[in-house]
């Protein structure tokens, strides 16, 4: 009997896992463009080009694309001190930006999939895990 109950639980867990709707990256990128326009464009510019030596580019940024988790941390907690982006040194400060888990996932999906970038989806659950 115990075995049966256990098998039942495993089956339920597995089927609910499978039914989980897949993440709609395209919709997230579309929402992310708005988040970018409101919160990021003033420094990182319309085409993500930034301002050399002052605001690093997000367009084709080796730094951004190298580490998904780090980019989540940067938006949640801000980033300061020396960093090198596409071979150029920056030593500025970006304050933490107050956004929801979904907004952070959306804006990262936008920058990671625009301006010549192409990256795997960032889902809100990943942001939530980093926030903790
Ligand atoms: C007030 C200006 C400002 C705003 C607004 C701003 N940033 Fe930044 N951002 C910076 C600066 C300055 C740095 C570099 C910090 C350093 O030198 O350590 C940076 C670094 C970054 C980096 C890492 C370096 C790179 O270019 O790959 C990413 C990614 C990034 N910002 C994304 C964003 C996103 C997304 C938003 C909007 C949600 C945003 N930033 C809003 C100024 C800003």
């Amino acid at each position: 009997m115990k075995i049966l109950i256990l098998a039942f639980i495993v089956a339920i867990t597995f089927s609910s896992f499978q039914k989980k709707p897949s993440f709609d990256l395209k919709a997230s990128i579309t929402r992310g463009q708005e988040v970018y326009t409101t919160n990021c464009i003033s420094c990182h510019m319309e085409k993500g080009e930034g301002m050399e030596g002052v605001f690093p580019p997000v367009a084709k940024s080796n730094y951004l694309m190298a580490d998904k988790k780090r980019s989540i941390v940067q938006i949640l907690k801000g980033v300061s001190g020396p960093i090198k982006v596409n071979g150029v040194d920056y030593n500025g400060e970006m304050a933490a930006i107050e956004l929801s888990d979904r907004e952070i996932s959306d804006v990262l999906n936008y920058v990671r999939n625009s301006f010549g970038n192409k990256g795997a989806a960032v889902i809100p659950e990943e942001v939530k895990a980093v926030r903790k």
Side-chain angles (χ1 to χ4, degrees):
M1 189 59 187
K2 268 195 192 140
I3 297 280
L4 235 113
I5 291 168
L6 198 72
F8 186 64
I9 291 169
V10 168
I12 292 283
T13 313
F14 189 67
S15 69
S16 69
F17 177 73
Q18 284 205 315
K19 258 187 245 136
K20 204 170 163 186
S22 63
F23 185 73
D24 188 346
L25 179 60
K26 228 174 132 195
S28 174
I29 292 169
T30 306
R31 290 191 303 266
Q33 181 167 19
E34 247 172 71
V35 181
Y36 184 84
T37 305
T38 311
N39 298 283
C40 323
I41 212 166
S42 54
C43 298
H44 294 286
M45 304 295 166
E46 201 181 331
K47 295 191 171 69
E49 72 272 31
M51 191 180 282
E52 192 165 299
V54 186
F55 304 124
V58 286
K60 300 194 176 78
S61 160
N62 63 339
Y63 189 88
L64 164 70
M65 299 309 284
D67 191 334
K68 187 157 92 163
K69 190 173 167 197
R70 179 176 64 191
S71 64
I72 298 173
V73 172
Q74 285 179 349
I75 305 208
L76 277 172
K77 311 221 160 111
V79 47
S80 64
I83 61 171
K84 206 186 223 13
V85 182
N86 295 347
V88 179
D89 288 309
Y90 294 86
N91 192 356
E93 186 175 356
M94 171 177 139
I97 300 171
E98 252 183 72
L99 296 168
S100 69
D101 293 345
R102 192 175 94 158
E103 286 168 329
I104 291 179
S105 117
D106 289 345
V107 78
L108 283 175
N109 284 327
Y110 175 66
V111 296
R112 286 167 55 84
N113 291 283
S114 304
F115 326 120
N117 297 339
K118 190 146 184 52
V122 175
I123 59 170
E125 285 75 12
E126 286 174 271
V127 180
K128 196 175 172 190
V130 173
R131 197 189 284 275
K132 277 192 210 155

